Amino acid sequence: MPKGQIRKALSGFYYVQDGEKFIQCRGRGVFRNRGISPLVGDFVDYEVEGGSDGTITVVHERKNALIRPPIANIDQALLVFSLTEPDFNPLLLDRFLVVLESFQVEPIICLTKTDLLSEAQLAKIQPFLDDYQEIGYQMIETYKDDGDLVGKLSPLLEDKISVLAGQSGVGKSTMLNTVLPALNLKTGVISEALGRGKHTTRHVELVEVCGGLLADTPGFSSFDFDEIEKEELSECFPEFREASKRCKFRECLHISEPKCAVLADVESGKIKGYRYKHYVKFLEEINDRKPRY
């Protein structure tokens, strides 16, 4: 049975890459009855009918899947955040980081507009940047007309399936427009095979960039905690995850429980106070969430 990967989905068709070939496929009719919805990024088996069209017969197990954008098997997200215009927002950054951690998607923090900061502004923000690096998050800095942007991103994108995320106005589209034209020769064949330009419908598509695959959509601008349970939230904070191993109670929520290692680390300063405040805020959101039936 031939195998491939869905690189684009549009109007009920799935465009599967198998080596150098692209096959336009439909999903099996039984998929709908079984609640299976193929996604861009899925690895699939297919069979060819007639001369060119095919049918997806098997969707292989995913390691993860996002809803917005609908894409599967993501390795990492380039989390684009500006240092100014809009101002750097640690609360919003933590919201994005927590949700990405919950989907087991590795975040890479891409800071933009670093050249627009005064020394005083940078001095105010730098402690936060140092904190995130100390926690273990990978971080790169870019600026307007960054001639080395492709050079900075190439080693990060190689052999990975990546998406972009971040709030509006931070430079996601600029980053895409810089990286994709730089590899026009590689993406041109795929674009022609997948029929780009023939449709106006917004869709997700994976294109080859820097030896990896990148979703050529600015992605999503907000996250919620619909898929995270309160007992799972602390697992999405790396420094909490380590400390919680020393808590007295296995399902400690780190609020007022006795012998809570997370609270002890907050008090000692090992865990930053603002990160703990964000955790408490997110926990309240989860507790206030309407029941799902």
Side-chain angles (χ1 to χ4, degrees):
M1 184 76 68
K3 302 180 184 295
Q5 184 185 36
I6 299 175
R7 293 292 179 86
K8 172 180 166 183
L10 182 65
S11 302
F13 288 100
Y14 303 98
Y15 298 84
V16 177
Q17 182 179 19
D18 181 359
E20 297 298 319
K21 301 180 298 182
F22 289 87
I23 299 90
Q24 177 177 282
C25 296
R26 292 274 195 183
R28 289 183 63 188
V30 296
F31 282 175
R32 180 172 297 181
N33 297 333
R34 296 176 182 174
I36 299 173
S37 179
L39 297 176
V40 170
D42 273 332
F43 294 97
V44 299
D45 295 352
Y46 69 93
E47 56 186 18
V48 176
E49 302 166 348
S52 57
D53 288 358
T55 299
I56 294 173
T57 56
V58 176
V59 176
H60 292 282
E61 185 177 355
R62 301 163 177 152
K63 73 175 186 179
N64 56 35
L66 296 179
I67 300 170
R68 296 187 304 272
I71 185 170
N73 298 312
I74 312 103
D75 294 309
Q76 60 188 15
L78 305 182
L79 198 48
V80 187
F81 264 69
S82 65
L83 295 183
T84 185
E85 300 177 10
D87 292 340
F88 180 70
N89 187 335
L91 175 63
L92 186 61
L93 176 57
D94 281 344
R95 178 179 288 272
F96 276 72
L97 290 171
V98 163
V99 174
L100 289 174
E101 291 273 1
S102 75
F103 282 105
Q104 299 180 318
V105 176
E106 180 184 357
I108 298 175
I109 302 172
C110 302
L111 301 173
T112 64
K113 307 181 183 181
T114 58
D115 54 318
L116 300 182
L117 288 180
S118 66
E119 288 188 12
Q121 288 173 313
L122 181 58
K124 187 177 179 180
I125 295 174
Q126 190 62 51
F128 290 103
L129 308 185
D130 293 342
D131 289 344
Y132 286 107
Q133 287 183 303
E134 185 176 342
I135 290 168
Y137 289 114
Q138 190 170 359
M139 186 178 293
I140 64 170
E141 296 183 8
T142 69
Y143 52 87
K144 187 177 181 181
D145 301 323
D146 189 345
D148 192 37
L149 181 58
V150 174
K152 291 176 180 177
L153 293 178
S154 289
L156 301 177
L157 296 173
E158 187 174 4
D159 297 325
K160 302 285 187 179
I161 297 179
S162 308
V163 297
L164 288 181
Q167 67 185 126
S168 299
V170 297
K172 298 190 299 294
S173 295
T174 300
M175 187 171 289
L176 270 178
N177 292 336
T178 301
V179 175
L180 291 179
L183 293 112
N184 229 358
L185 291 176
K186 289 187 178 180
T187 60
V189 175
I190 298 173
S191 299
E192 182 178 348
L194 297 182
R196 178 185 292 178
K198 295 181 181 179
H199 306 281
T200 57
T201 306
R202 188 173 176 82
H203 65 277
V204 179
E205 180 179 345
L206 288 174
V207 295
E208 294 184 12
V209 175
C210 303
L213 295 171
L214 178 66
D216 73 336
T217 167
F220 26 85
S221 58
S222 65
F223 281 107
D224 53 42
F225 303 124
D226 284 350
E227 302 300 320
I228 304 176
E229 300 301 331
K230 62 182 181 180
E231 296 82 6
E232 301 168 341
L233 180 61
S234 66
E235 291 292 307
C236 301
F237 287 76
E239 69 274 43
F240 288 41
R241 189 163 58 232
E242 288 303 310
S244 63
K245 296 176 183 177
R246 297 181 276 110
C247 289
K248 180 178 180 180
F249 299 104
R250 181 176 297 178
E251 294 189 357
C252 183
L253 292 179
H254 322 303
I255 299 298
S256 58
E257 297 88 341
K259 296 186 179 180
C260 171
V262 169
L263 288 173
D265 282 359
V266 172
E267 188 173 344
S268 70
K270 188 175 181 180
I271 290 178
K272 300 302 178 182
Y274 67 89
R275 287 273 287 177
Y276 180 72
K277 288 180 181 178
H278 297 168
Y279 166 80
V280 173
K281 178 177 175 56
F282 299 158
L283 187 63
E284 289 174 351
E285 286 188 37
I286 292 172
N287 285 330
D288 292 342
R289 185 174 61 199
K290 292 182 179 180
R292 290 173 292 175
Y293 299 103

